Amino acid sequence: MACTAESVAAALRAVAAVVAEHRDELVRLDREIGDGDHGENLNRGFAALVSKLDSSVPASPSAVLRLAATTLISTVGGAAGPLYGTAFLRAATSVGDVAVLDAAAVAAALESALDGVVARGKAEVGDKTMVDALTPAVVAAESVAATGGGVAGVLEAAAEAAEQGASSTVPLVARKGRASYLGERSAGHLDPGARSTALLLGALAGAAR
Amino acid sequence: MKKVINDPATVVADALRGMALAHADLLDVQYDPAVVVRADAPVPRKVAVISGGGSGHEPLHGGFVGRGMLDAACPGAVFTSPTPDQVAAAVARTDGGAGALLIVKNYTGDVLNFETAAELAAADGVDVRTVVIDDDVAVKDSLYTAGRRGVGGTVLLEKVVGAAAERGVDLDGCEALARRVVGRVRSMGLALTACTVPHAGEPSFTLGDDEMELGIGIHGEPGRRRVPVGPADELVPALLEPVLEDLPFTAGDRVLLFTNSMGGTPLIELYLAHGIAERLLAERGIVVERRLVGPYVTSLEMQGVSLTLLKLDDELLELWDAPVRTPALRWGL
């Protein structure tokens, strides 16, 4: 599959659909250990992105990713707005001015996204955040890209690893974000940020298939 | 969910329209992005004092916009921090050439969005400083947490710094003053019931009839411990003692005591709690020089109370007493 601006836009539409479908689940997960706005906020942001893509799709993959970044930053709010916004902004910068992305570029973009999230949120693996899903996803993506896999294979591996990474947050005690105020009581709950990261990567993989 | 609303998605904008009409003499409300601005902004050569956060804490922050307090407030969605473009718009609209001070409550989302906004404003050539308030003693600071939350003390900070800016204190002075207040103010709250965020449609957490949540933040997020509800003579010390121990406040200190309703607790209970707190402070030889009692930092319809103590000195006392004219605080003007 050629990963063009149009296909990146299609993948982001797929993400928006998945976020809308799982809005209530994310709200519920966040209500258990946070304040219950994660699903609502992400849904607002991706719906805004879809309406922008409906009016026109930017010319390059990088420009599409940058549009996603600015839209999420200006509409999502909460911690998720700057974190996902930064992730997309770093990914946009990473892919540079090319018309078609290959597997290595996609893996590198994921790594840049992770670096951006870590720089902004200052969280590390084990803090019970989206970093717990994104970090293994990047490792898996890079290993598939390095062994000659295609874009679909890279995203598939990333999505699977993110899914497992998200599940690994259940027993953890949160050390970042609002859930950290619960201390020990945050254990036993799936982290909503890790869950949304896994959903997002799953939707990207589905679109690339 | 029973609420006087139409659509959960438009609650904030709908409320802002009413607020603009109710306080047309004091406020100029913009909608895209949403910013509540004092009617005479920008004030030339005055430091712009700006705050914001999720909606649902009314009158915080929009109710404190006006002469002697905030130049602008950025209302986010309910319980969700504002976005960077809202904050950047507030800075652009109120900058009188003396720079802007952003007052940020220590919540991850607020800090991240204001941080991003400060970068945007700096890129536009405005001198912007950020002060983070973290007065909530319920959440201990440690290497492993995001730090303590910013809660009721925010109102006192906004009043004092707003008064200084109105007097012409420069940005360095306002920033230093703000950090000094942050170092002298402490709070703690409790919840008897949860609140319901409109777009969530059901209560944020569940408490039994005989339970309360001790150490709540202002978003309805659960606190540190769930304990049985007792009489007010037990509730008030449960809030006051951790506050007193934390700074610590000791005999001879002069303080401002702020007794706050989380929205659903009526004034009869609030005055009752305030009376107990004053008696306990008097017993310890702490001098209550000023009081603020009422629903000023709320969590929608949540029943609950928070207590905030600010250690005063002559300068802070004078700035607290300075004239203020906003929808929610008004004296001397």
Side-chain angles (χ1 to χ4, degrees):
Chain A
M1 182 200 86
C3 193
T4 61
E6 282 295 340
S7 45
V8 174
L12 290 173
R13 289 176 194 280
V15 169
V18 166
V19 167
E21 188 188 328
H22 291 268
R23 173 196 172 278
D24 292 349
E25 179 199 341
L26 292 172
V27 164
R28 179 178 55 76
L29 290 174
D30 192 26
R31 199 166 46 232
E32 286 168 4
I33 59 170
D35 55 357
D37 62 1
H38 190 54
E40 174 71 16
N41 291 350
L42 275 190
N43 189 43
R44 182 172 56 238
F46 280 101
L49 175 59
V50 166
S51 92
K52 287 189 187 177
L53 290 173
D54 283 347
S55 62
S56 85
V57 173
S60 68
S62 171
V64 175
L65 292 170
R66 187 166 294 114
L67 178 69
T70 55
T71 306
L72 295 178
I73 288 173
S74 65
T75 54
V76 174
L83 290 172
Y84 276 118
T86 301
F88 279 100
L89 199 57
R90 295 292 181 94
T93 308
S94 163
V95 303
D97 194 18
V98 295
V100 180
L101 304 181
D102 61 12
V106 171
L110 285 176
E111 187 184 8
S112 297
L114 171 64
D115 290 346
V117 170
V118 168
R120 193 52 82 212
K122 298 171 189 72
E124 47 190 78
V125 169
D127 284 347
K128 198 177 179 97
T129 72
M130 57 192 283
V131 170
D132 288 306
L134 197 49
T135 303
V138 166
V139 172
E142 281 172 347
S143 116
V144 171
T147 53
V151 169
V154 164
L155 289 172
E156 193 68 48
E160 271 174 35
E163 190 78 43
Q164 285 177 22
S167 304
S168 78
T169 65
V170 172
L172 296 176
V173 172
R175 293 188 296 213
K176 288 282 172 186
R178 229 166 258 181
S180 68
Y181 301 130
L182 277 177
E184 298 290 333
R185 280 195 282 167
S186 64
H189 297 278
L190 177 60
D191 179 66
R195 173 66 177 146
S196 66
T197 295
L199 285 172
L200 227 122
L201 287 167
L204 294 177
R209 222 172 271 144
Chain B
M1 177 175 67
K2 286 196 284 188
K3 288 183 186 290
V4 185
I5 64 171
N6 288 316
D7 177 354
T10 62
V11 163
V12 175
D14 294 349
L16 285 174
R17 269 187 288 280
M19 192 180 184
L21 291 168
H23 305 289
D25 55 329
L26 300 173
L27 306 179
D28 174 18
V29 177
Q30 299 176 192
Y31 297 93
D32 193 20
V35 186
V36 179
V37 183
R38 67 185 257 183
D40 57 348
V43 182
R45 293 175 300 284
K46 177 191 166 304
V47 170
V49 182
I50 297 167
S51 193
S55 294
H57 306 303
E58 290 67 28
L60 192 76
H61 297 270
F64 302 119
V65 172
R67 270 179 73 188
M69 215 159 161
L70 296 179
D71 291 79
C74 309
V78 174
F79 287 5
T80 298
S81 62
T83 56
D85 55 328
Q86 279 178 272
V87 182
V91 172
R93 179 72 177 73
T94 59
D95 174 36
L101 183 73
L102 309 181
I103 294 176
V104 184
K105 298 188 298 305
N106 194 27
Y107 277 96
T108 309
D110 290 286
V111 172
L112 291 182
N113 283 284
F114 275 91
E115 210 173 74
T116 308
E119 283 172 26
L120 292 174
D124 286 342
V126 182
D127 195 353
V128 179
R129 313 283 174 82
T130 301
V131 172
V132 175
I133 175 162
D134 57 352
D135 55 315
D136 187 357
V137 303
V139 184
K140 294 294 175 196
D141 213 344
S142 82
L143 287 175
Y144 302 109
T145 71
R148 315 207 292 196
R149 300 173 292 216
V151 290
T154 312
V155 175
L156 312 185
L157 175 62
E158 290 174 356
K159 169 67 184 80
V160 168
V161 174
E166 201 71 53
R167 289 182 172 188
V169 173
D170 68 10
L171 188 56
D172 285 338
C174 286
E175 184 187 5
L177 173 70
R179 293 192 193 288
R180 202 157 75 78
V181 173
V182 169
R184 298 169 73 99
V185 66
R186 296 291 185 271
S187 302
M188 179 135 159
L190 63 81
L192 302 176
T193 63
C195 58
T196 298
V197 176
H199 63 66
E202 49 187 294
S204 303
F205 54 98
T206 318
L207 279 175
D209 275 350
D210 55 348
E211 287 180 319
M212 67 173 180
E213 189 81 38
L214 192 59
I216 45 139
I218 57 170
H219 299 83
E221 75 271 29
R224 304 174 75 199
R225 275 188 300 136
R226 195 160 289 185
V227 294
V229 181
D233 272 333
E234 287 172 20
L235 301 189
V236 175
L239 292 183
L240 193 58
E241 273 158 24
V243 172
L244 289 171
E245 281 161 20
D246 191 89
L247 198 60
F249 295 86
T250 54
D253 280 348
R254 304 153 67 198
V255 299
L256 186 159
L257 170 62
F258 169 30
T259 305
N260 177 57
S261 163
M262 304 307 297
T265 291
L267 273 175
I268 184 171
E269 294 172 35
L270 210 58
Y271 281 131
L272 191 156
H274 183 82
I276 296 170
E278 286 230 16
R279 191 192 74 222
L280 294 171
L281 289 169
E283 282 168 14
R284 289 174 178 252
I286 293 168
V287 184
V288 180
E289 295 241 30
R290 294 292 184 275
R291 292 94 179 154
L292 183 67
V293 183
Y296 290 104
V297 182
T298 61
S299 292
L300 298 169
E301 77 278 33
M302 180 192 284
Q303 287 181 32
V305 175
S306 68
L307 294 180
T308 299
L309 282 184
L310 169 65
K311 194 184 282 202
L312 293 169
D313 56 22
D314 289 341
E315 184 194 5
L316 296 183
L317 191 58
E318 205 186 322
L319 290 168
W320 177 257
D321 287 343
V324 60
R325 187 171 171 83
T326 70
L329 276 191
R330 212 182 278 209
W331 56 74
L333 272 174

